[in-house]
Structure formats: C-alpha cells, structure tokens
Amino acid sequence: MMKSNSAASLDVQHVRQVFGSTLAVDDVSLAVTPGETVCLLGHSGCGKTTLLRVVAGLERPTSGKVILDGREVAGPGAFVPPEQRGVGLMFQDYALFPHLTILDNVMFGLARMPGAKARAIAEASLTRVGLAKYANDYPHMLSGGEQQRVALARALAPQPGILLMDEPFSNLDQRMRERIREETMGLLREKDATALVVTHDPVEAMMIADRIVLMRGGRIVQTGTPEELYERPVSLFAARFFCDLNEIEGQARDGRVETPLGAFDAPVDAPHGRCVVCVRPTSLHIVPPAEADAVGVVIRRRFLGDSDLITARVDGLVAPLMLKALPGVASTLSETIGVRVTHGHALVFALGGDSLASS
Amino acid sequence: MAGRFGLHSVMFGKGGDRRWLAASALVAVLVVAPVVSLALIAAQGSGDLWPHIFAFVLPQALRETAILLLGVGVMVVTLGTALAWLMTAYEFPGRRVFDWALLLPLATPTYIVAFAYLDLLHPIGPIQTGLRALFGIEDVRGLWFPDVRSMGGCILLLGFVLYPYVYLSTRAMFLMQAGSLLEASRTLGASRSRMFFRVALPLARPAIAVGASLALMEALNDIGASEFLGVRTLSVSIYSTWINRSNLPGAAQIALAMLVIVVSLILLERWARRRQRYVSMAQRARRAAPMPLTGWRAGVTIAFLSLPIVIGFVLPALHLGAEAWKRIAFAGVSPEIWQEILNTVLISAVATFVALLLGFLVASTARLSQARTAGVLLRASSLGYAVPGTVLAIGLMTPIFALDNMLADGLEKFLGISVGLLISGSGAVLVYAYVVRFLAISAGGVESGLSKLSPSLDGAARALGETAGGAMRRVHLPLLRPALGAAALLVFVDCMKELPATLLLRPLNFETLATHLYGEAARGTYEDGSVAATCIILVGLIPVIMLARLGRRRQFAYGGASETQEAIAREIILGDGAPAPGRSAV
C-alpha cells in the first residue's frame, strides 16, 4: 500500500547488518523527522548504502529495528517487504526500466490506480521535472541528467512518505550535477518531503542536508548540522573528511600544546600526551613577520582564481604549511612571510583518542 | 556500488524464498537422479556377463574411444585454430563469405555426415564412380580407395563437423586480444608467424581448450557416426550391451567408465576457464589491422578455408538434398515421414517448453535467493549437458520403468483400469531425458540474460510497490525475451537432432527423424533417410544463421541493457558470459 502523501518520520534503532563475516552496519541508531533531509556521508564501504537498503526493505537487518512513520517495518517480530513500505527509492544508476517508455516508467508504481488517474499523475510528475515532452521516448534516448530526473519523477509519483536516494548525483558531470542538485532539492522542499540521501561528497552533503550523518566502518562517527560537523568535528577523521588540514603534532602539558605556530588548548579530557593540532588553510593569514605567530618561506603558489593556495616552509614544522590567501598577497617564491592563526580556529585532537578541544 | 549487493537482497516475500529453493532443489534432484541410479544399477553387478564385458568389451571400447577422442581432438584444435587465425590476421577476397560459411558444418549432426559419406564414398557411389570414369578403370575393385568405415574415416568426418567449436571460441579470443598487443609485438620486430606462436596462440590457449572440450563431448556423445563407420566406442558398446544382450547392469558399468572421461573433459574446461580471466582483462577490443593477401597466397588461403566447408557441409548437404529430391519426385513424401516430422516437432516443443520453464525457475532462484545453495542448485541442474545421451538413457531406464509399473499396478488395483506404461509409453521419459540434457542451455540463457540486468532494477520495482513475482513478470520477463527466445530455439533444435537417448528411450513404434535415419543406416537401406536428413539439416541451419548474423552486426537493444538473441545464442553455445558451462550441439 502506498502511504499517505504526508511526510513520514523514520526511526532506526540499533541496526546491525552482517554479510557473512563482514559487519556492514554496526549498531546504528538514527532519527529523521518529517520533512527533514538527512545525508548519510562516508567513504565507500562505510555502510551508508547498506543502511539505506535496510530502510528501503531491500535488506533485512541482522538485528535492530526500523520504524517508519510509527510503524515497525523491520525488527525482531516484523518485516514489511519493500513494496508495502511506501518509500521512494532512487538508485545511483537510476534503474530505469529499459523496456518501458518514460511515461510507463513513471506509471510503474501507480499500478493500483485506475489507468486514467495514474496517467494523469505520471504526466504531472513528468511536467514538474520538465520532461513531459519525452513521455513516449525510451530511457536510453535521454541524457544522463534527464534520466536522473525521470528516476526522481518515478520515485515521487506514488507520493512516498520518505524518499531514499543512493548517490543520486554522482553519475552526472560536474556542471550538470550542481544544476540538477538545485532542482532536485528545490522540488523536495516544495513537496516538504522527508529524504535520506547517501553521498560520499562532503560538499554535496553540506549543500543539501539539514543534518549530516557521518559514518565510518559501519558506525556513526558524528551527527549534526553541516555547521556543527564542519566547525566542531568530534575526531580527526571527521575533521579531515570536510577539509584539507595542516596537521601539527605536539606534546600536551597541563592542558596546553606548544607548537611552532604557538600554544593551543589541549583537549579537556586529555590535558597530557601526544596531540595533533589541525589548522585549515583558510584559518591561516599572511601578516607582516613582526606580528606573526610564525615566519615561513613561500615554496609554491597555485592560482585558484578567487584565491591563491600558498605552500610555505616554516622552521620547526616537518610538513610545509598550506594556506589560502587573496590573490597577490604573496606573489613571489622565496618570499618570507608571517603566518597567523585565526583565533579560535584550530582543532586539537589527542592522538589515539577522539576528543576535541578548540582554541 | 549497487554491484556489491544484488544476490543478498530481500527479494522474496515471506516464505517465498523457501518455496523457490525447494522447487529448484527438486529440479536439481531430477537432473542428478539418472546418474545416481546409474551407479546403483552398476553396483548390482552384471552377473555372468561381467567377466566378458571386462575382458572383451570394455578394453576395446576404451581404446577405441581414446583413439577417437585423441584424433578428433588433434584435428579440431589444428583446424579450428588455423582457420581462426587466418580469418583474423588476413584480409582476402571473399573473407566476408567465409565469416559465416565456416559455421555451416555445425548444422550437420555427426550421424548425418557419416550417413551421407557412406553413400558418397561407396564403391558404386558418385565419387568412386566418377574417379573410375576419370581414370578409365572398368573394374569396380580396380581403384584403390581408402575405406571410410574405419577409425581414420571416423576421426576425419567428426573433425570436419566439430571444428567450429574450436574455431568460434578461438576466433572470438583472437578478436578480443587487444589489437595493441599484436601491434606491439610487430613494432618489436616480430614476424606474422612469430606473432602467432609467441603472442596470439599462448593467449588463446584457454579458448582453444574450451572449444576442444565441447567438441570432444560431442564426439563422446555420438552414437550414429561411430556405429555406421564400425568404430566400437563406449557409446556404441553401451547401446549394444543393452539392445543385444538386454544387460542393463553391464551397460551401466560401461556408462560409468564413460562418465570418468566426461568428468576429465569438464575438468579440462574448468581449468581452461580459470585462466581466461587475464585475457579478458585486456582493454577494449580493437582488432589489429589484418594483412591483405593477394595472388597465389590468397588462392591457397581460400582453397584451405573452403576444404572444411565443402567436406563438412556442402558435399553431404548437396548429396542428401539431391537424394531427397529424387526420392520425393519418385515416391512423394511418405506418410511415415509426415508422422515422424509431427512426432519430432511435438516432442521437441514439449521438451523445450519444460526446459525453459525449469531453466527460468532455477536461474531466477539463483539470482533472487539469499541462500548460497541456490547457486549450487543452478550448477547441479546444468550438469546434464555433460552426460552423454546413452549414459543418461541407461540411468533413466530402471527408475522410470519401476515407476511405470508401480503406476500401472496401482491404477489397475484401485481403479480397475489398465493404462499400460504411462511414462515410458507416452514419451514422457523422452521429454525428461531431453530436459535433463538441455536444461543447461535454457538455464544458462536465462542466467546470462539476468546477469545483464542491474540488481537495482529489482530494487526499484519493489520500492515502487511491486511484489517479487510482479517484478519478475513486469520487469524481468519482458527484458529476458531475447534470451528466452534464443534459448528456446537452441533447445528445440538440439531436441530435434538428439539421437542416442531417443534411440534407447522412445516408446515402441515411435520414430523421430533422427531414429528413422539411424534405422535406415543400420539396415543399409536408403529410402526416406535422405528426406529425414535434409529436414534435420534445414532446421539445424537456423541457429547457424543466427550465429552468422551476429558476426556481422552487433546491435544492442535498449541501449545496452539487453543484447540480441544472436549474442545470447553465442554465449549459450560457448558458455562464456555466464559461468554456467551451458552449451549446445548446434
């Protein structure tokens, strides 16, 4: 049965999924409120796609529960097959049925309706994604972007309570990807739909998600808004995932870490021991050497258009520092520059642990 | 990403998984049953006859079979590889014609080619008569001519109709070898012949082995040609032990010996496929530019290429066609032939339908089921392809007759009606045998068709509210239509041509075209035989035409999701693509 057209909530409780000897999803709990867009983010093999398939009903979880709009659809006592869950699902390869026209593809999920009504809904759905004129074409006659939109129209046509998307934009080329992403998310907002989106691209996740669930090795590393994950990553892994970092190792003593770039607060729960201080290239500024935290020599400069990526060697640091500056601020190689860390923008993690302090 | 999943998905509803698995298991049991029963019969011992079989029949049959296989093996490998290389490395006038013409001998079953040459090469047949006229020899015995009824004759004839297996697989491999590899060897200063022996041939070894093992299984399965030509192979010995001595355990014991050879051929094929991977890893196939041949070189090449086509197809087909024409002009088409055509088509059609249904069942279960056993069941269901017809028939006899008698007794006792032998009398046992033997073709066809469908199609259908069965009906079945069509055609043609199992299992007075031909050849009469043979050759041409068309155009329907029937037919015949060793005796 297709569910009502109102947005559904999703509650995943302690889900584990084991394939043979592989633990694909390890005790994951997650709640999505109606109308929310949540991204499952992680490297390939982190379990994000498996989790999505568990929610869709394509995998039966080894243990744990999935509750969709208040109804237990997977758990110790119950298993609702995918066709009875009222979920919309979009695949990375779109999975359009090659033997059916675009219209028939979109009508596929409307089989229980009278033909005329199904046709009207499918046509409306195609019109909304701007593909009404291709209704009688076959999938292979369409471009990748058009196929993606057909898949979206097909998934949305039965008015699912939740839309599940597996890397929905990764098969599109760069320029098209941004446009289609905007359109897709616009449509979802317009329909106030609940969406769970799998992606490996942190930029994409930050652009579309209300909340991001960062996963690694089958577990959730951190959940939060894009700002929370970017500004306050709970671990070195989470910090590295969103940005290239300058990583400087140091020894914490009495809650302070001394580095060639100055002293930083050590993590509260690890006032002593080995630490790594992470500074994003955008958190470093070029200042006159006299006002600097450290002094370095420019060894490379790459022009990126709206900024320069500068690599500088700083005494006492093993690896050169990377920093972003306005074009032309440091223009010559071998120039000596002063570097200052924007206050409060360094992330400090205890090595071997995953605690955080920012200073 | 999606590829990582697929086989582990929840694709069945509650309990459905178990039902499908149980059905698959039943099919596998039915396929394996004849082999098991064979072992049981053999274990009974053949009593007084065993010393005789062991001392006289078995050693000779083993020796003759070994010599035959060795000879045919050497011949198909040399001929098939040489032809494949000539066709890939050189360009010459008429190459496009040879492209399909070299496949023609696939349309002549071994027993038909032997039947035709017995007549053609008879001392008063057209060839010897012509030669005598040419040399002005009056005496019929004045011309020395090698007797085709010999081991040598049998090897030559089988070689000339079975080489296409090696030719097809090897040519595909030569074409697949990235042109850059061959071109690289040329820039390194290798001559054409060095290129062949140092690069192309070693790379093609797996394909040659696969083709050869298929050809040898055909040779092993053959009963007509060897018997007509006086070679007492295992197949022939099984048949005569049963027919002439009515000794089932004895026949079963010989059949077991034959299974040992079959197993070693399968192992050869498996071993060859294991090494196939590194070759297919080569990037996009781009054929190396062929070298143009002109003048006498082109002439010699064309003559060499024509030889197997003329011997393996043109000569026998023309002769049989002409004889059939004469026969029909003289006596019309006899009612027996019409009846036999009807019998053949009917029983083949029923067997094809059943084989397709069961093939779809086991292949779909293997795709959709979570259980790993489903894959094992699919393999087990495909085993029948390797069991020679005579062996299969011997294995089926005892259980079927026992069942038949049980049924007859039971019905008579409880219902008071006498039905006779239901299963063996109705030809149901023949359908059973055909299905066991050719299930690999239909299962392999469905499997290779399914393997081209992205698993996310299943998921998409389910998420859109379709049940497992509904997804099968609305998505899989329409997409599989070309695969099912190709498989149906191949199974049907193979059933029509099947001889050894049909001979042993057919109901009394039930003749197919193949058994009619066998009967005439065995009696030495030449009446309607040529008509029957011509019918079989004509039907056998259909899949060959399909294969030949594939050579010329490679077209993909639905933007790559589903290939044409021809491509699937090729995959089924050579068993590439799908891991199942499906194959057919086109």
Side-chain angles (χ1 to χ4, degrees):
Chain A
M1 287 320 103
M2 288 302 139
K3 294 281 296 182
S4 62
N5 44 15
S6 62
S9 65
L10 168 68
D11 203 359
V12 173
Q13 296 175 358
H14 303 292
V15 161
R16 280 161 50 89
Q17 181 73 42
V18 183
F19 296 126
S21 58
T22 343
L23 184 57
V25 174
D26 184 8
D27 193 21
V28 165
S29 296
L30 166 71
V32 183
T33 57
E36 195 181 20
T37 298
V38 170
C39 267
L40 298 175
L41 177 65
H43 295 301
S44 69
C46 73
K48 56 192 194 299
T49 297
T50 305
L51 186 59
L52 190 84
R53 291 171 62 87
V54 166
V55 173
L58 297 178
E59 311 283 349
R60 184 171 188 160
T62 312
S63 63
K65 276 187 195 174
V66 179
I67 295 163
L68 245 175
D69 223 12
R71 179 167 71 134
E72 183 176 313
V73 291
F79 182 75
V80 178
E83 64 267 24
Q84 289 167 21
R85 288 192 182 192
V87 296
L89 181 54
M90 263 182 80
F91 288 89
Q92 188 173 14
D93 63 2
Y94 314 138
L96 298 179
F97 303 124
H99 62 302
L100 299 180
T101 62
I102 301 306
L103 186 66
D104 287 338
N105 259 285
V106 179
M107 282 173 67
F108 191 95
L110 307 171
R112 286 178 188 81
M113 278 179 194
K117 192 179 171 202
R119 170 175 283 265
I121 291 176
E123 278 168 353
S125 192
L126 276 177
T127 307
R128 197 157 339 119
V129 296
L131 291 174
K133 60 177 181 293
Y134 296 124
N136 294 315
D137 288 351
Y138 284 88
H140 70 271
M141 300 157 81
L142 270 54
S143 72
E146 289 161 347
Q147 290 184 15
Q148 197 271 357
R149 281 183 285 162
V150 174
L152 180 66
R154 184 178 71 176
L156 289 178
Q159 311 260 14
I162 182 168
L163 183 63
L164 311 171
M165 300 199 262
D166 184 6
E167 301 274 6
F169 311 109
S170 64
N171 272 352
L172 302 170
D173 64 52
Q174 179 84 35
R175 197 175 306 167
M176 183 118 82
R177 180 160 32 197
E178 275 165 35
R179 203 190 71 213
I180 301 272
R181 191 158 60 199
E182 283 313 306
E183 287 175 10
T184 305
M185 298 327 287
L187 194 64
L188 289 185
R189 270 192 298 277
E190 186 187 306
K191 304 199 69 168
D192 200 26
T194 312
L196 189 60
V197 185
V198 160
T199 180
H200 65 275
D201 179 355
V203 179
E204 181 166 292
M206 289 193 282
M207 285 177 97
I208 63 181
D210 297 320
R211 262 187 320 137
I212 293 175
V213 174
L214 181 64
M215 293 184 66
R216 182 190 194 186
R219 292 171 164 272
I220 293 181
V221 173
Q222 190 175 4
T223 305
T225 63
E227 291 82 0
E228 283 168 349
L229 264 81
Y230 190 85
E231 304 290 348
R232 294 186 292 282
V234 294
S235 66
L236 185 57
F237 170 79
R240 278 179 183 157
F241 204 95
F242 287 92
C243 189
D244 288 330
L245 297 170
N246 293 299
E247 294 177 21
I248 302 150
E249 283 192 29
Q251 188 74 33
R253 281 187 194 84
D254 301 326
R256 296 287 285 173
V257 192
E258 287 291 340
T259 74
L261 289 183
F264 300 89
D265 284 340
V268 184
D269 53 351
H272 304 284
R274 298 293 298 166
C275 281
V276 58
V277 176
C278 304
V279 185
R280 295 198 172 95
T282 46
S283 303
L284 288 172
H285 294 272
I286 294 176
V287 292
E291 306 161 23
D293 292 328
V295 174
V297 177
V298 177
I299 56 174
R300 206 164 87 171
R301 185 176 74 93
R302 265 195 295 165
F303 177 65
L304 301 179
D306 50 1
S307 62
D308 279 356
L309 180 65
I310 290 162
T311 312
R313 176 159 293 140
V314 173
D315 281 345
L317 291 184
V318 184
L321 276 185
M322 283 184 302
L323 57 114
K324 273 195 177 159
L326 291 174
V329 171
S331 52
T332 46
L333 290 184
S334 312
E335 186 182 334
T336 300
I337 53 168
V339 177
R340 178 189 277 170
V341 182
T342 311
H343 183 70
H345 275 219
L347 306 162
V348 186
F349 303 101
L351 277 177
D354 264 347
S355 23
L356 159 92
S358 61
S359 100
Chain B
M1 265 251 165
R4 283 192 292 128
F5 303 95
L7 283 179
H8 296 285
S9 340
V10 181
M11 281 306 168
F12 290 111
K14 275 172 239 159
D17 199 23
R18 209 168 301 154
R19 277 202 301 276
W20 283 69
L21 268 178
S24 268
L26 185 66
V27 175
V29 166
L30 286 176
V31 169
V32 179
V35 176
V36 175
S37 101
L38 188 71
L40 293 178
I41 304 166
Q44 289 171 10
S46 44
D48 303 340
L49 207 58
W50 175 241
H52 170 79
I53 290 176
F54 192 77
F56 301 108
V57 180
L58 207 51
Q60 190 204 10
L62 272 175
R63 195 176 56 240
E64 299 256 296
T65 303
I67 297 172
L68 182 73
L69 291 188
L70 194 70
V72 172
V74 169
M75 184 157 163
V76 294
V77 166
T78 353
L79 193 57
T81 314
L83 294 171
W85 179 248
L86 286 174
M87 290 297 291
T88 27
Y90 299 98
E91 183 63 59
F92 44 86
R95 209 187 66 92
R96 290 175 60 90
V97 175
F98 285 109
D99 222 19
W100 56 267
L102 279 168
L103 302 176
L104 285 173
L106 279 175
T108 21
T110 50
Y111 58 88
I112 287 190
V113 84
F115 177 75
Y117 276 99
L118 272 179
D119 202 19
L120 272 169
L121 297 177
H122 196 271
I124 53 167
I127 290 181
Q128 291 207 43
T129 310
L131 286 174
R132 280 196 303 272
L134 193 67
F135 297 124
I137 303 171
E138 301 278 329
D139 181 8
V140 173
R141 274 177 234 134
L143 176 79
W144 179 86
F145 198 85
D147 191 357
V148 69
R149 283 171 303 170
S150 60
M151 177 61 86
C154 193
I155 289 175
L156 275 178
L157 288 187
L158 289 189
F160 275 121
V161 291
L162 296 180
Y163 77 83
Y165 287 109
V166 179
Y167 165 70
L168 261 176
S169 60
T170 311
R171 189 187 61 159
M173 192 66 108
F174 283 151
L175 288 174
M176 239 167 59
Q177 290 168 1
S180 53
L181 276 183
L182 295 178
E183 279 160 6
S185 69
R186 286 185 78 192
T187 60
L188 293 169
S191 66
R192 287 262 157 185
S193 69
R194 191 175 152 78
M195 217 162 94
F196 175 72
F197 285 109
R198 293 297 301 277
V199 183
L201 193 59
L203 282 172
R205 250 187 333 227
I208 296 172
V210 168
S213 71
L214 292 180
L216 291 184
M217 281 192 201
E218 272 312 302
L220 196 61
N221 181 48
D222 167 79
I223 184 161
S226 349
E227 184 169 352
F228 304 160
L229 301 177
V231 178
R232 299 199 55 81
T233 59
L234 287 164
S235 234
V236 174
S237 307
I238 292 173
Y239 182 65
S240 57
T241 305
W242 166 235
I243 292 291
N244 302 337
R245 301 178 187 273
S246 303
N247 186 323
L248 198 55
Q253 282 158 347
I254 306 175
L256 274 184
M258 202 152 153
L259 273 183
V260 174
I261 302 183
V262 168
V263 169
S264 33
L265 283 177
I266 295 177
L267 290 180
L268 168 74
E269 192 194 17
R270 282 288 150 88
W271 170 82
R273 272 179 206 285
R274 190 175 50 84
R275 302 187 41 178
Q276 213 166 25
R277 191 158 305 145
Y278 73 101
V279 180
S280 353
M281 255 166 42
Q283 314 78 357
R284 286 262 131 223
R286 186 178 54 80
R287 203 181 137 208
M291 187 168 97
L293 292 177
T294 49
W296 66 270
R297 287 171 208 273
V300 170
T301 306
I302 290 170
F304 178 70
L305 291 170
S306 308
L307 190 72
I309 304 168
V310 170
I311 296 180
F313 180 77
V314 177
L315 220 51
L318 279 183
H319 175 68
L320 291 169
E323 290 296 313
W325 182 258
K326 273 191 263 177
R327 174 76 188 169
I328 292 172
F330 171 70
V333 180
S334 65
E336 288 80 39
I337 284 285
W338 283 122
Q339 182 61 47
E340 285 157 16
I341 291 177
L342 187 70
N343 287 350
T344 312
V345 169
L346 215 63
I347 201 134
S348 305
V350 173
T352 304
F353 179 76
V354 178
L356 233 50
L357 210 67
L358 300 187
F360 187 75
L361 172 80
V362 289
S364 299
T365 309
R367 174 182 170 98
L368 298 185
S369 171
Q370 305 228 38
R372 203 165 295 174
T373 40
V376 178
L377 292 176
L378 172 63
R379 300 283 154 262
S381 307
S382 305
L383 280 180
Y385 86 98
V387 182
T390 41
V391 177
L392 180 62
I394 296 293
L396 275 176
M397 275 177 185
T398 308
I400 291 295
F401 288 153
L403 193 65
D404 247 354
N405 285 325
M406 243 166 61
L407 272 175
D409 289 351
L411 287 174
E412 186 144 17
K413 198 182 264 173
F414 295 110
L415 301 174
I417 46 170
S418 174
V419 289
L421 300 181
L422 265 183
I423 304 173
S424 43
S426 66
V429 62
L430 217 47
V431 172
Y432 184 0
Y434 289 167
V435 170
V436 168
R437 189 126 162 69
F438 304 127
L439 191 57
I441 299 176
S442 59
V446 175
E447 192 194 15
S448 85
L450 281 174
S451 70
K452 294 185 180 65
L453 305 183
S454 156
S456 50
L457 287 177
D458 306 42
R462 298 298 298 278
L464 288 166
E466 206 38 275
T467 58
M472 191 86 70
R473 185 171 46 80
R474 291 178 67 193
V475 179
H476 291 156
L477 216 50
L479 287 172
L480 281 177
R481 216 173 285 152
L484 287 171
L489 181 67
L490 291 174
V491 174
F492 183 79
V493 171
D494 270 351
C495 289
M496 282 197 68
K497 295 179 351 185
E498 213 288 334
L499 179 62
T502 316
L503 267 182
L504 286 163
L505 293 175
R506 71 200 151 125
L508 270 166
N509 299 322
F510 179 93
E511 295 276 355
T512 65
L513 291 169
T515 58
H516 174 109
L517 186 78
Y518 177 86
E520 281 203 12
R523 286 194 304 272
T525 55
Y526 288 83
E527 291 157 0
D528 283 331
S530 54
V531 182
T534 309
C535 288
I536 295 175
I537 291 182
L538 286 178
V539 175
L541 274 174
I542 300 172
V544 175
I545 292 168
M546 261 172 51
L547 274 177
R549 278 172 55 194
L550 172 69
R552 259 178 283 172
R553 76 195 159 83
R554 216 173 223 288
Q555 193 188 66
F556 296 96
Y558 305 135
S562 163
E563 285 173 80
T564 52
Q565 300 197 342
E566 289 87 1
I568 290 163
R570 189 188 170 282
E571 269 182 26
I572 298 170
I573 291 166
L574 292 176
D576 49 34
R583 84 180 217 316
S584 120
V586 184

